[in-house]
Amino acid sequence: MPKTTKDHLEDIFDDLGEEGLKKFKNKLCDRKVEPRIRRAAIEKAKDSMDLAGLMVSTFTTTGMVPVTVEILEAIGFNEQATELKEKTGQGLPVASSPVAPSPVDVVDSGAGQSPKFDSVLSDDWHKHLCVTPCTQSFKNNIISQSGSEVYQVKDKSIRKRLALLINNIDFENKDMTRRGADRDEENMEWLLKELDYQVVKHRNLSAKDMEEAVKGFARRQEHANSDSTFVVIMSHGKRDAILGVQYTSDNPSDTFLVDKIYRYLNSENCPGLRDKPKVILIQACRGGETGRVWASDGEPDELMEIEGDDFVHKEKDFISLMSCTPDTKSYRHVQNGTFYVQNVVDVLMKYAHKDHIEELFRKVICRFENAEKMGSYRQMACKDRTSMPKLFYLFPGL
């Protein structure tokens, strides 16, 4: 009868010996991220069988392997860590030391564990698949039926689409390293290029550098010949802000306000994108503050009359899809990347040829209702700050 993952774990624990097992249990007690095991429960595990059972019940059969590997490497049992990965077929890249949370809630995955959700995309999916192309007849039909309600998409031969992609992976606080985020970058860059966007890419930026990158992107002359844009930012975060790579407990000010994305790309500061769709995708936690509803019942500061034919809305034509709702976490698999990016890529790849962007986002959000795919983890993507008066079809391939 073939050995189970739990059996392999017991063998590894037996191989550690009494002193090694004690080191493992002490390191497990020090682990700060959820799900955690109480010290009393760890101390009750008298032998390898008890400890393996405790690991299975806490982290599940899938999740316990990367947690065990991480701790084994941290206490110097690298040979046993390699053996466990080989025997279980779970060679997930893990850090050399347990990941501790920052003083504020910036964790965008259960670091040190493998969130139990199914990978939407295989390792080499983009070698065999492509974004489903739109047919000319479908585009003609949409324009003839709803022309005034649809954003104009310029001909492929004359347009110059740009997309901004910022991905923070390596932080000054090494415990905040976003393992698996390189896969998100690869997948998202592939999608944007398939949708005919030239990708302006940055990695590992401070808050100041992120602001300069967004500001510089807004100034690009190519926008005048574009019909739309995407801005994708992936990092740790908290409510209303994205963390720069210099963020630490001693430097908590290294945060880039999400509001600045809208400010720099609005009609006033980015006239090249005026009346054109601007799609914002943000993969980051939004936890750390109490949810609230903003309302204003006061009188305006100054009564105004609006006259003239050249008036334009300062903020218009935006749509955003956040990886999670306010005050909650966004989960990242240490090998496959985030559930959010996987689903955005998969949905747009399969349905962008026939659905407008709001319907595509609805389909992404529906993916998060499937509890089976995420196990005990809960996350809900959400639309935010939408100001699109028209429908935006990407018409891929045209």
Side-chain angles (χ1 to χ4, degrees), residues 163-167 185 189 199-203:
L164 177 63
L165 175 59
I166 297 174
N167 187 22
E185 181 179 315
E189 184 176 8
V199 181
V200 180
K201 188 167 68 170
H202 300 272
R203 182 183 276 198

Side-chain angles (χ1 to χ4, degrees), residues 24 27 31 33 65-75 81 94-99 111-113 179:
F24 184 95
K27 207 68 176 176
R31 195 168 178 275
V33 295
V65 174
V67 177
T68 304
V69 168
E70 179 188 272
I71 295 176
L72 288 172
E73 291 179 342
I75 63 177
V94 293
S96 58
S97 61
V99 177
Q113 62 180 293
R179 297 168 298 161

Side-chain angles (χ1 to χ4, degrees), residues 19-31:
E19 192 62 30
L21 197 62
K22 183 178 179 181
K23 288 182 179 180
F24 184 95
K25 291 166 72 173
N26 287 338
K27 207 68 176 176
L28 185 59
C29 287
D30 293 338
R31 195 168 178 275

Side-chain angles (χ1 to χ4, degrees), residues 26 124 252 301 316 323 385:
N26 287 338
D124 59 349
D301 293 335
K316 186 171 74 73
S323 64
R385 206 159 167 168

Side-chain angles (χ1 to χ4, degrees), residues 86-118:
E86 290 175 351
K87 288 186 175 181
T88 60
Q90 294 191 44
L92 300 181
V94 293
S96 58
S97 61
V99 177
S102 174
V104 296
D105 185 9
V106 297
V107 182
D108 70 337
S109 80
Q113 62 180 293
S114 175
K116 186 177 180 291
F117 56 69
D118 298 332

Side-chain angles (χ1 to χ4, degrees), residues 225-243:
N225 297 316
S226 178
D227 54 20
S228 58
T229 193
F230 274 73
V231 173
V232 184
I233 301 181
M234 302 180 288
S235 184
H236 289 295
K238 53 184 180 178
R239 181 157 183 161
D240 303 327
I242 301 162
L243 305 194

